[in-house]
Amino acid sequence: MIELVDVVPSGVLGLRAGGLVTPDDYRSVVRPAFDSWLTEPRPLRVLAILDDDFSYADGDWQDASGGVLRRNEWHRLGVVTDNSWVRRMAPIGSMFVPARTRTFRMHRLHDAKTWVGRP
């Protein structure tokens, strides 16, 4: 499941994911949020909060992403999680997103919000 989070700084798109996330979740929540966000010319700052039980299902992620990961508007991506496998994989995943990427533990959520919200 993915949901939008609105307790983020102005100019930041907030997402929270937990449990099994599917390509359909991505298509129905993330893509519309990105499409709406990018109707205005502004840098893309994303705060992604991933719960401990976060995992993703097999499927057509290339189609689901719709090219979002390759957008030039990316500026910062803050990943907040205590999930150990996500923390280990985040540096590898950051190679595919043209943004400054940083990982934070859950107890540093405030720091993540501050960092992502900076110009």
Side-chain angles (χ1 to χ4, degrees):
M1 171 193 73
I2 301 175
E3 61 187 357
L4 298 178
V5 177
D6 61 1
V7 289
V8 294
S10 176
V12 173
L13 177 61
L15 302 167
R16 180 175 210 121
L20 184 66
V21 174
T22 68
D24 286 337
D25 294 328
Y26 198 89
R27 270 188 214 87
S28 65
V29 177
V30 178
R31 276 186 57 188
F34 276 71
D35 291 345
S36 174
W37 189 266
L38 294 172
T39 59
E40 299 176 31
R42 57 184 163 174
L44 184 54
R45 294 179 177 89
V46 176
L47 180 70
I49 303 167
L50 306 178
D51 293 337
D52 285 345
D53 65 345
F54 167 78
S55 63
Y56 59 93
D58 290 336
D60 188 353
W61 286 95
Q62 181 77 4
D63 175 63
S65 72
V68 165
L69 299 179
R70 294 183 300 268
R71 299 294 303 242
N72 292 330
E73 293 88 347
W74 277 98
H75 184 64
R76 290 181 190 261
L77 169 61
V79 178
V80 182
T81 188
D82 286 336
N83 182 311
S84 61
W85 77 264
V86 173
R87 293 185 58 75
R88 286 191 306 271
M89 295 304 292
I92 295 168
S94 69
M95 294 185 317
F96 301 101
V97 179
R100 284 182 251 165
T101 304
R102 191 165 165 199
T103 306
F104 299 84
R105 292 198 177 270
M106 286 290 195
H107 72 274
R108 295 195 54 219
L109 178 59
H110 177 74
D111 296 336
K113 289 178 182 181
T114 300
W115 181 80
V116 171
R118 286 195 332 228

